[in-house]
C-alpha cells in the first residue's frame, strides 16, 4: 500500500479501507437518492437542489480539502471515486459536483490568499454555495490564448468586460461566485498577460443568461455570462497577476483526472444496465444475455470500463504522490471518454428501442456521453498533449 495515495501498488489497484468505505457510501446514495429522481430532473431540465443539499451534508463538496476550511481532509482520489459512483446513475449530478470542486473551489484553495480562503471556501466546501470558473468564451475554447475578456485596474477596483460561454454552475440559486480569466495587460514577451479575478454573484454588470438547451447533462446548470463594466475590489485578484494561464493549466490537468473518473462511471453504468436488461429481456426462447452476440458486446463494454478505470487510478496516484501526471491525465481522459461513448452506443443497441427512451438510463447515458469527448479539453487536445510529452 502506498501511504501517500491510499492506493494499492499491486496489480489490483485495491482501495484503502477509507476509500472503499467512501465508495460504498456514495454508491448507496446514488442508487437510493439520485437514481429515483434522475429521469424527472433530466426530462424537465430542472436543477436537483435537494440532491445537491444532501451531497453537501454528506461532505462531498469538501472531500479533497483540509479540515481547517471546512473540508473533509481527504484527497483528490476520494473525489474521483465519488464522481464515478454518481455518474453510474446520473452524469448531471456528477458534473455538478466535479465543476463545483475542481473548477469552483479548487482555484481558491490552490491560489487564494488566507483571507480569500476564509471568505469563500466555507460555503463552497459545505455545498451551501457553488463556484464556477469562467474560462471558455464564444471565440476562445481549446486555444485559451484567444481570450478577449479584459480586466483593468481603476481606482482600486478591477473593471471587467467580456463574455463567457458554457460555464457550469454559473446561474443556480446557490451560485456564490465565478472566477473569471481575463487579459490584464501585455507581458514582457509581448504576449497577453492573463490573470484570474473572483466575481461574486449579483455583482452589477454581471449578466447571467438563461440556461442552455442541451443535448445532455440536462439537469446541470450551464450558461453564458456577460460582463459589462463589472467592478470588484482589487483584492479579488486570485493568485499572482499574470499567472492566470499557468493556474488554469494546473486546474485543467487535475480536472481531466476527475472527468475521466466521471466518464468511467458512465461507462460502468452502461454495463450495469445492460447486464440487468440482458438477464430479463427474452428473445427466441431465452434471455438475450444467453446469445453470444449480446454477451460478447457486454464483455467488451466491461473491458473498456475496467481499462479506463486503471488509467485514471494511475493518473490520480501520480498526482497525489507529487509526480508528473500531465501525460497520464490526458491518457485517462482520452481513454475514459472513448469508453463512455462506445459503451453508451453499445448499451443502447443492447436495449433496442427501449434504449432510445429517456425513461431508460441508457438513453440518458447516450446523450450525456458525447460531451465527455469535448469538455475540459477535446480528445484532439488530449492527443496533442500526449504527443508533446513524448517529444513530438
Amino acid at each position: 500500500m502506498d501511504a501517500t495515495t491510499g492506493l494499492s501498488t499491486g496489480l489490483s489497484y485495491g482501495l484503502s479501507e477509507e476509500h472503499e468505505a467512501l465508495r460504498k457510501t456514495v454508491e448507496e446514495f446514488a442508487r437510493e437518492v439520485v437514481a429515483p429522481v434522475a429521469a424527472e430532473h433530466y426530462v424537465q431540465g430542472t436543477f436537483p437542489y435537494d440532491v445537491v443539499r444532501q451531497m453537501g451534508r454528506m461532505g462531498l463538496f469538501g472531500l479533497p480539502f483540509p479540515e481547517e476550511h471546512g473540508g473533509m481532509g481527504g484527497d483528490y482520489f476520494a473525489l474521483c471515486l465519488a464522481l464515478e459512483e454518481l455518474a453510474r446513475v446520473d452524469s448531471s449530478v456528477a458534473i455538478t459536483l466535479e465543476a463545483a470542486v475542481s473548477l469552483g473551489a479548487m482555484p481558491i484553495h490552490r491560489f487564494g490568499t488566507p483571507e480569500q480562503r476564509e471568505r469563500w471556501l466555507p460555503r463552497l466546501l459545505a455545498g451551501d454555495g457553488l463556484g464556477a470558473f469562467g474560462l471558455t468564451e464564444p471565440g476562445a475554447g481549446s486555444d485559451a490564448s484567444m481570450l478577449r475578456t479584459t480586466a483593468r485596474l481603476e481606482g482600486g477596483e478591477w473593471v471587467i468586460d467580456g463574455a463567457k460561454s458554457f460555464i457550469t454552475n454559473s446561474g443556480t440559486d446557490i451560485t456564490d461566485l465565478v472566477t473569471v480569466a481575463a487579459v490584464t495587460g501585455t507581458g514582457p514577451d509581448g504576449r497577453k498577460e492573463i490573470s484570474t479575478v473572483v466575481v461574486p454573484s449579483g455583482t452589477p454588470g454581471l449578466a447571467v443568461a438563461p440556461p442552455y438547451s442541451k443535448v445532455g447533462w440536462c439537469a446541470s446548470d450551464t450558461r453564458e455570462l456577460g460582463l459589462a463594466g463589472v467592478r470588484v475590489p482589487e483584492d479579488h485578484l486570485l493568485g499572482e497577476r499574470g499567472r492566470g494561464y499557468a493556474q488554469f493549466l494546473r486546474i485543467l490537468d487535475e480536472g481531466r483526472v476527475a472527468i475521466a473518473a466521471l466518464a468511467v462511471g458512465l461507462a460502468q453504468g452502461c454495463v450495469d444496465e445492460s447486464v440487468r436488461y440482458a438477464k430479463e429481456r427474452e428473445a427466441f426462447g431465452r434471455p438475450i444475455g444467453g446469445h453470444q452476440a449480446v454477451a460478447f458486446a457486454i464483455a467488451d463494454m466491461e473491458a473498456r470500463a475496467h481499462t479506463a478505470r486503471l488509467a485514471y487510478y494511475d493518473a490520480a496516484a501520480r498526482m497525489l504522490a507529487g509526480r508528473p501526471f500531465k501525460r497520464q491525465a490526458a491518457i485517462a481522459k482520452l481513454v475514459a471518454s472513448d469508453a463512455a461513448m462506445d459503451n453508451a452506443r453499445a448499451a443502447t443497441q443492447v436495449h433496442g428501442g427501449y434504449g432510445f427512451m429517456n425513461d431508460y438510463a441508457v438513453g440518458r447515458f447516450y446523450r450525456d456521453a458525447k460531451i465527455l469527448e469535448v469538455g475540459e479539453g477535446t480528445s484532439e487536445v488530449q492527443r496533442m498533449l500526449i504527443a508533446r510529452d513524448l517529444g513530438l
Side-chain angles (χ1 to χ4, degrees):
M1 181 70 68
D2 186 330
T4 304
T5 65
L7 277 171
S8 167
T9 53
L11 293 177
S12 66
Y13 278 94
L15 302 182
S16 67
E17 291 183 6
E18 294 81 5
H19 281 140
E20 177 60 17
L22 169 68
R23 190 202 64 76
K24 287 184 177 179
T25 298
V26 180
E27 177 188 28
E28 181 179 346
F29 173 78
R31 183 176 62 251
E32 297 182 358
V33 177
V34 180
V37 300
E40 179 181 357
H41 283 298
Y42 200 94
V43 172
Q44 295 183 1
T46 51
F47 189 78
Y49 286 102
D50 184 59
V51 172
V52 170
R53 191 177 303 113
Q54 293 183 64
M55 289 163 58
R57 290 200 295 264
M58 291 173 64
L60 298 189
F61 290 93
L63 276 175
F65 300 100
E67 295 178 5
E68 63 185 282
H69 296 303
M72 298 296 290
D75 56 29
Y76 207 87
F77 183 62
L79 170 66
C80 291
L81 291 175
L83 292 171
E84 180 182 344
E85 293 303 324
L86 291 171
R88 284 176 72 171
V89 301
D90 185 9
S91 290
S92 292
V93 167
I95 194 59
T96 297
L97 175 63
E98 192 278 333
V101 174
S102 69
L103 300 179
M106 192 59 73
I108 295 172
H109 170 63
R110 293 281 190 221
F111 312 116
T113 64
E115 190 278 332
Q116 288 172 334
R117 294 173 186 146
E118 184 178 349
R119 183 191 313 178
W120 289 311
L121 282 184
R123 277 182 50 83
L124 299 182
L125 305 195
D128 294 330
L130 298 177
F133 191 69
L135 174 61
T136 304
E137 298 183 0
S142 297
D143 185 2
S145 67
M146 295 297 291
L147 284 177
R148 294 289 183 265
T149 296
T150 61
R152 68 183 189 278
L153 275 177
E154 186 177 284
E157 294 180 316
W158 290 104
V159 183
I160 309 172
D161 294 281
K164 297 294 179 179
S165 302
F166 312 126
I167 310 304
T168 305
N169 293 340
S170 58
T172 73
D173 293 344
I174 57 173
T175 298
D176 279 1
L177 57 87
V178 180
T179 300
V180 175
V183 179
T184 52
T186 304
D189 59 358
R191 296 182 180 180
K192 294 177 180 178
E193 175 192 83
I194 298 174
S195 307
T196 50
V197 182
V198 177
V199 178
S201 297
T203 300
L206 175 62
V208 181
Y212 288 107
S213 176
K214 295 175 293 186
V215 171
W217 287 358
C218 295
S220 73
D221 180 80
T222 317
R223 303 179 189 240
E224 184 171 312
L225 302 176
L227 302 104
V230 171
R231 289 178 173 269
V232 297
E234 186 175 353
D235 66 4
H236 281 38
L237 176 72
L238 189 63
E240 182 181 345
R241 177 171 177 169
R243 293 290 296 168
Y245 189 77
Q247 289 174 12
F248 63 65
L249 285 181
R250 176 173 177 180
I251 291 298
L252 290 177
D253 282 342
E254 295 177 353
R256 287 177 183 124
V257 183
I259 290 293
L262 190 156
V264 168
L266 189 153
Q268 191 64 55
C270 290
V271 177
D272 298 341
E273 295 296 325
S274 295
V275 169
R276 183 180 304 112
Y277 186 79
K279 289 179 178 179
E280 297 172 353
R281 178 78 160 93
E282 293 190 359
F284 304 106
R286 57 176 171 166
I288 62 172
H291 298 283
Q292 191 177 77
V294 174
F296 280 14
I298 297 174
D300 285 342
M301 292 162 61
E302 173 67 10
R304 285 191 286 264
H306 178 75
T307 303
R309 181 177 296 108
L310 294 180
Y312 98 71
Y313 274 26
D314 177 61
R318 289 172 176 270
M319 177 175 68
L320 296 179
R323 299 166 61 192
F325 70 97
K326 180 184 289 288
R327 184 199 308 178
Q328 287 73 24
I331 290 171
K333 205 271 185 180
L334 176 63
V335 170
S337 60
D338 282 350
M341 193 70 224
D342 290 343
N343 278 16
R345 185 184 304 108
T348 302
Q349 194 71 19
V350 168
H351 280 69
Y354 291 111
F356 202 61
M357 302 294 117
N358 281 329
D359 288 340
Y360 279 72
V362 295
R364 302 192 300 273
F365 291 168
Y366 188 83
R367 293 171 63 179
D368 289 338
K370 181 57 192 175
I371 190 60
L372 295 169
E373 297 181 317
V374 177
E376 294 208 34
T378 64
S379 294
E380 291 76 14
V381 167
Q382 306 316 309
R383 292 183 173 94
M384 178 185 70
L385 293 172
I386 296 165
R388 284 180 179 175
D389 201 61
L390 292 172
L392 300 175

